[in-house]
């Protein structure tokens, strides 16, 4: 037999090596032996030659040990993977705060510039000081938020990397050779499962400006103050007898103490605070907030009937510790304790005070969050924490229904922005922070959603605008990916356009020729593309001139094929020819009829009337084709909070993205 030719000094043991070469289950000590036993004490695989050395140790079959180890590893992987959505939500939350902070900074900078233009040269020194103070204050806040974002990104990257490695290991064959690697991964997963990451914002987005103009000649060297606080909702707390119980018809009082990210008490006032008492039927009891200017605030309210209620206290539109609180209202004869003298004193002082909105009377104030002007209450959609997905209108106004609450599931939204309506009776919502588009019927029935988070073609990173092409294709502006994606009506990716040209597309629309209108918010430019991606023309630049923009948002096209653009920071609406020539401009900064505080969504009806979402004033205005104010859409029953995109449905109603309330609303619209 010459099947095997051995060397002269070969032995029978070497023959065994040839018959059983080292494999994945080879003994670590005896490579020629197969390990089939596992020592639990030494945490190693054993062959038959090793077993005598471990006879006093507990041993099990290697296959059983490997299976048990895999089960533990899988459990740890699952536990750690649950952290990823939490980190994603925290990132979106903090990034939005930073985005709003930056927007506030831009608005205030413009106010400072315009306020000093008409003053004497001696004011230039003070202007420089204020601008510097703004930059320093913004820089400090931006640094805190950016540092938190960096920590969250690092945590996300670490967890994603280890999870990927673990999934690859689990996809392979279970064997002794990979034991140490898998043990290391398990330890790393255990560490990451308990990794402490900051999920709540460590700063707020407030940057306000107060300009006192009375006695200007005498106090010119002190003109202007950059106003903010370091208060965060997650650390602030409330106290007082009115937090848990009150007496029917008697004023009750709650004290709110604002604190910074470290839990330290804030020493100054002017924080943006709201308080709401909800009756069992969902209506709101009004009240007054008194700012003591020392970091504490007092909410005084009176409930007209007995029962169980909810008290929601929000700082910068976020619930403070323990909010919403359960509140029991009883009759005077049933009350266990009477109203204390201190409460009465506080109530009397509050009753004579003007409800505080965080600014001095007579002062010019800008940079407010939308909707903060409402006294003692703002909205009822989510304060109780259990809003319904579809709510019928309880009061006679124009609201037909609303859909949505904050979340990641179908019919839930996180920072919804763009809205479109198709001729086929569909409503499309760009769910920005959930990286998807959700589709509903005109009656509010959920139909479908599509979108995968990512930065490659076909994925969505931050969808902000949406439109429907006459062909049925769905066009989506992706702000962070810096391009426009085109999908079929069923949500299948077809192509992208504008890559390499766009800096931050916000809104999209389609003109009478089927061309795609893209509003580049960051570049302050309007681009017009063919559906193939070929650029037809572009117009606009940064500034406050007639053909310039300051943060343009959305676009609409009228029957004359004219393009209507909302100019956010210039507080105006501008109408252009398809070639980019200005036809009409209307609007100014303010709260009156026909004025805007940062317009966003825009649509045109069949008569050429222009419908505009007024973000900062939390309302919807209607103008004729020449820009003359006509009316408001009545939103008083369930107030808007920072409306974004809007559109006209195929059955003639107005649908608007109520971004601050995490829902969309459909209103009657009489043309």
């Amino acid at each position: 037999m010459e099947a095997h030719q051995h060397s002269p000094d070969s032995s029978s043991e070497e023959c065994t090596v040839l018959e059983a070469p080292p494999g994945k289950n080879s003994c670590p000590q005896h490579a020629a032996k197969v390990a089939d036993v596992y020592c639990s004490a030494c945490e190693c695989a054993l062959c038959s030659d090793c077993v005598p050395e471990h006879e006093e140790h507990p041993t099990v079959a290697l296959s059983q040990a490997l299976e048990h180890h895999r089960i533990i590893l899988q459990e740890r992987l699952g536990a750690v993977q649950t952290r990823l959505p939490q980190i994603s939500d925290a990132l979106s939350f903090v990034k939005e705060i930073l985005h709003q902070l930056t927007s506030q900074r831009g608005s205030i900078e413009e106010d400072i510039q315009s306020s000093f233009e008409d003053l004497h040269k001696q004011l230039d020194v003070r202007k420089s000081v204020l601008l510097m103070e703004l930059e320093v204050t913004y820089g400090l806040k931006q640094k805190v938020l950016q540092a938190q974002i960096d920590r969250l990104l690092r945590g996300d990257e670490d967890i994603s990397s280890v999870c990927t490695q673990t999934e690859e290991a689990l996809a392979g064959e279970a064997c002794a050779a990979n034991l140490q690697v898998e043990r290391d991964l398990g330890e790393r997963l255990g560490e990451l499962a308990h990794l402490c990451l900051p999920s709540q914002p460590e700063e707020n987005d407030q940057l306000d400006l107060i300009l006192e103009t009375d006695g200007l000649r005498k106090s010119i060297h002190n003109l202007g103050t950059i106003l903010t606080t370091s208060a965060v909702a997650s650390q602030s707390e409330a106290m007082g007898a009115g937090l848990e119980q009150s007496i029917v018809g008697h004023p009750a009082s709650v004290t709110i103490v604002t604190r910074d990210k470290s839990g330290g008490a804030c020493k100054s006032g002017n924080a943006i605070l709201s308080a709401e008492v909800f009756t069992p039927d969902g209506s709101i009891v009004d009240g007054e907030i008194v700012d003591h200017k020392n970091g504490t605030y007092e909410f005084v309210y009176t409930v007209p009937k007995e029962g169980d209620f909810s008290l929601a206290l929000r700082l910068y539109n976020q619930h403070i510790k323990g909010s919403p609180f359960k509140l029991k209202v009883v009759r005077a004869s049933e009350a266990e304790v009477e109203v204390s003298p201190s409460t009465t004193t506080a109530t009397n002082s509050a009753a004579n005070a003007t409800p505080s909105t965080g600014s001095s009377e007579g002062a010019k104030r800008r940079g407010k969050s939308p909707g903060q002007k409402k006294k003692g209450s703002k909205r009822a959609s989510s304060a109780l924490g259990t809003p319904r997905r579809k709510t019928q209108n309880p009061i006679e106004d124009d609201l037909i229904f609303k859909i949505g609450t904050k979340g990641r599931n179908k019919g839930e939204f996180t920072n919804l922005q763009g809205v479109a309506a198709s001729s086929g009776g569909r409503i499309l919502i760009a769910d920005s922070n959930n990286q998807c588009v959700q589709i509903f019927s005109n009656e509010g029935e959920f139909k479908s959603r599509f979108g995968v988070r990512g930065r490659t073609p076909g994925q969505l990173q931050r969808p902000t605008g949406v439109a429907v092409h006459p062909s049925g294709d769905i066009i989506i502006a992706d702000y962070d990916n810096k391009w426009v994606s085109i999908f079929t009506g069923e949500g299948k990716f077809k192509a992208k356009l504008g890559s390499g040209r766009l800096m931050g597309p916000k809104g999209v629309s389609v003109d009478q020729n089927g061309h795609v209108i893209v509003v580049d918010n960051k570049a302050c430019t309007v681009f017009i593309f063919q559906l193939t991606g070929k650029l037809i023309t572009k117009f606009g630049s940064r500034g406050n001139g007639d053909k310039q923009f300051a943060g343009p948002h959305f676009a609409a096209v009228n029957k004359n094929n004219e393009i209507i653009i909302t100019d956010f920071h210039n507080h105006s609406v501008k109408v252009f020819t398809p070639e980019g020539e200005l036809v009409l401009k209307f609007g100014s900064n303010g709260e009156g009829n026909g004025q805007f505080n940062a317009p966003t969504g825009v649509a045109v009806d069949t008569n050429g009337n222009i419908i505009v979402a007024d973000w900062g004033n939390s309302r919807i205005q209607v103008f004729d084709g020449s820009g003359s104010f006509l009316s408001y859409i009545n939103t008083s029953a369930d107030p808007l909070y920072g409306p974004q995109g809007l559109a006209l449905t195929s059955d003639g109603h107005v649908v608007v993205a109520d971004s601050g309330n995490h829902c969309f609303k459909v209103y009657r619209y009489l043309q």
Side-chain angles (χ1 to χ4, degrees):
M1 295 180 63
E2 297 182 359
H4 298 287
Q5 294 294 328
H6 298 168
S7 61
D9 57 349
S10 64
S11 64
S12 60
E13 184 172 310
E14 291 173 333
C15 291
T16 302
V17 173
L18 290 173
E19 293 170 1
K24 294 180 180 178
N25 286 329
S26 297
C27 176
Q29 301 298 326
H30 307 90
K33 296 287 186 176
V34 175
D36 56 4
V37 178
Y38 181 78
C39 177
S40 302
C42 301
E43 296 184 341
C44 64
L46 309 175
C47 68
S48 57
D49 290 349
C50 298
V51 170
E53 301 175 13
H54 300 260
E55 60 183 356
E56 296 181 358
H57 297 171
T59 59
V60 296
L62 179 60
S63 60
Q64 181 181 347
L66 290 173
E67 182 180 358
H68 179 69
H69 180 77
R70 281 296 180 92
I71 292 173
I72 294 175
L73 195 60
Q74 185 67 51
E75 289 175 351
R76 291 183 177 179
L77 174 63
V80 172
Q81 284 178 328
T82 60
R83 299 294 307 277
L84 292 173
Q86 298 170 4
I87 294 175
S88 176
D89 288 344
L91 269 172
S92 299
F93 196 11
V94 177
K95 283 182 177 179
E96 183 62 23
I97 295 292
L98 178 57
H99 172 71
Q100 293 176 11
L101 175 68
T102 305
S103 177
Q104 299 287 69
R105 174 236 185 181
S107 297
I108 291 174
E109 186 173 12
E110 292 167 11
D111 277 356
I112 293 172
Q113 297 285 2
S114 61
S115 297
F116 280 87
E117 282 179 359
D118 299 329
L119 298 177
H120 196 268
K121 291 182 180 180
Q122 60 183 324
L123 295 177
D124 288 343
V125 174
R126 182 59 184 167
K127 179 180 71 172
S128 299
V129 171
L130 279 174
L131 289 173
M132 185 181 300
E133 185 181 348
L134 173 64
E135 290 297 327
V136 171
T137 306
Y138 168 79
L140 292 174
K141 285 176 168 284
Q142 186 269 348
K143 186 176 181 181
V144 171
L145 291 171
Q146 189 61 56
Q148 185 179 3
I149 288 172
D150 291 341
R151 292 200 300 275
L152 288 168
L153 285 172
R154 286 196 297 271
D156 183 88
E157 183 178 353
D158 289 346
I159 290 178
S160 297
S161 175
V162 175
C163 287
T164 299
Q165 295 176 35
T166 305
E167 289 170 343
E168 291 174 354
L170 291 172
E173 183 181 352
C175 61
N178 292 333
L179 263 178
Q180 185 58 45
V181 173
E182 294 182 357
R183 190 180 300 115
D184 292 343
L185 287 172
E187 292 175 357
R188 183 59 177 149
L189 287 169
E191 294 171 1
L192 291 173
H194 298 89
L195 180 63
C196 182
L197 291 172
S199 60
Q200 292 297 321
E202 296 178 347
E203 242 311 354
N204 59 60
D205 62 347
Q206 184 187 8
L207 280 175
D208 283 348
L209 170 69
I210 290 181
L211 284 178
E212 298 285 355
T213 55
D214 296 338
L216 178 61
R217 295 181 182 274
K218 296 180 181 179
S219 58
I220 194 169
H221 61 286
N222 290 323
L223 178 62
T225 300
I226 299 299
L227 187 65
T228 189
T229 76
S230 297
V232 292
S234 60
Q235 295 291 335
S236 299
E237 53 193 353
M239 60 192 70
L243 202 58
E244 298 178 351
Q245 181 177 334
S246 71
I247 301 174
V248 174
H250 288 254
S253 173
V254 175
T255 299
I256 300 100
V257 179
T258 55
R259 301 185 183 278
D260 61 22
K261 65 176 183 178
S262 303
C266 297
K267 302 298 184 182
S268 61
N270 299 302
I272 298 176
L273 186 71
S274 69
E276 304 158 331
V277 177
F278 288 83
T279 64
D281 60 6
S283 59
I284 301 174
V285 174
D286 207 355
E288 295 181 349
I289 297 176
V290 179
D291 184 354
H292 295 306
K293 303 297 182 181
N294 60 358
T296 67
Y297 304 78
E298 190 169 15
F299 174 54
V300 182
Y301 66 93
T302 303
V303 182
K305 58 184 178 181
E306 61 183 324
D308 295 324
F309 299 79
S310 290
L311 169 60
L313 298 172
R314 291 185 181 87
L315 182 67
Y316 300 106
N317 201 35
Q318 301 164 36
H319 284 286
I320 68 170
K321 280 184 179 180
S323 177
F325 302 92
K326 293 182 178 179
L327 174 65
K328 188 173 185 63
V329 181
V330 299
R331 296 188 179 278
S333 59
E334 301 172 358
E336 296 179 0
V337 293
E338 295 183 355
V339 180
S340 66
S342 60
T343 303
T344 304
T345 303
T347 302
N348 291 337
S349 64
N352 295 325
T354 300
S356 173
T357 57
S359 62
S360 301
E361 187 173 349
K364 180 182 178 183
R365 178 188 173 104
R366 276 294 319 286
K368 298 186 288 288
S369 297
Q372 75 179 59
K373 304 179 188 70
K374 297 176 179 62
K375 180 184 71 173
S377 66
K378 213 159 30 188
R379 54 191 169 92
S381 63
S382 61
L384 291 175
T386 56
R388 293 175 294 173
R389 287 179 56 245
K390 180 172 180 177
T391 304
Q392 298 299 329
N393 181 23
I395 299 177
E396 281 301 321
D397 70 352
D398 293 332
L399 180 65
I400 301 174
F401 63 81
K402 67 176 181 179
I403 291 180
T405 184
K406 186 173 184 180
R408 303 176 65 86
N409 300 316
K410 64 181 183 180
E412 297 178 340
F413 307 98
T414 306
N415 192 25
L416 67 167
Q417 296 201 30
V419 174
S422 74
S423 58
R426 299 198 300 173
I427 297 172
L428 292 83
I429 307 292
D431 193 356
S432 180
N433 287 13
N434 285 333
Q435 291 87 27
C436 69
V437 168
Q438 300 199 45
I439 303 176
F440 301 80
S441 70
N442 281 353
E443 293 73 34
E445 179 186 357
F446 176 84
K447 292 297 185 181
S448 65
R449 70 173 179 176
F450 65 90
V452 177
R453 177 186 179 186
R455 295 187 178 274
T456 59
Q459 296 179 321
L460 302 174
Q461 190 64 22
R462 191 181 176 191
T464 52
V466 60
V468 180
H469 195 271
S471 65
D473 289 340
I474 299 172
I475 302 167
I476 302 172
D478 195 327
Y479 190 92
D480 283 356
N481 277 332
K482 303 179 182 179
W483 63 55
V484 172
S485 295
I486 301 173
F487 293 82
T488 66
E490 292 71 39
K492 183 179 179 181
F493 177 71
K494 293 180 66 175
K496 65 174 183 176
L497 58 84
S499 180
R501 295 182 183 271
L502 303 173
M503 296 175 61
K506 173 78 175 182
V508 287
S509 187
V510 180
D511 69 10
Q512 307 292 340
N513 301 316
H515 298 150
V516 180
I517 314 296
V518 183
V519 181
D520 194 325
N521 173 270
K522 204 166 186 178
C524 294
T525 303
V526 176
F527 291 83
I528 304 178
F529 295 94
Q530 291 181 351
L531 199 59
T532 59
K534 179 181 178 181
L535 178 65
I536 298 175
T537 188
K538 64 177 181 177
F539 59 88
S541 61
R542 185 178 301 278
N544 54 15
D546 287 346
K547 295 180 65 174
Q548 293 181 311
F549 305 102
H553 268 52
F554 292 98
V557 179
N558 64 21
K559 59 186 177 182
N560 297 324
N561 212 30
E562 295 169 334
I563 303 168
I564 305 166
I565 307 292
T566 51
D567 197 351
F568 190 83
H569 290 301
N570 282 330
H571 311 290
S572 60
V573 174
K574 297 176 180 178
V575 183
F576 297 88
T577 66
E579 295 73 35
E581 296 301 321
L582 182 70
V583 176
L584 173 68
K585 171 185 174 183
F586 61 91
S588 60
N589 187 20
E591 303 173 8
N593 295 348
Q595 293 186 309
F596 301 110
N597 183 4
T600 47
V602 62
V604 184
D605 67 22
T606 55
N607 295 322
N609 297 322
I610 302 170
I611 310 160
V612 183
D614 191 354
W615 183 85
N617 289 322
S618 288
R619 63 188 182 184
I620 301 174
Q621 301 191 66
V622 183
F623 301 82
D624 66 17
S626 63
S628 297
F629 174 80
L630 294 178
S631 64
Y632 298 105
I633 289 180
N634 186 357
T635 62
S636 58
D638 192 353
L640 297 170
Y641 187 53
Q644 290 259 7
L646 62 76
L648 276 169
T649 64
S650 58
D651 52 358
H653 299 311
V654 169
V655 54
V656 60
D658 192 355
S659 181
N661 285 321
H662 308 291
C663 65
F664 72 87
K665 297 176 178 176
V666 176
Y667 292 93
R668 296 180 185 87
Y669 179 68
L670 302 177
Q671 299 182 19

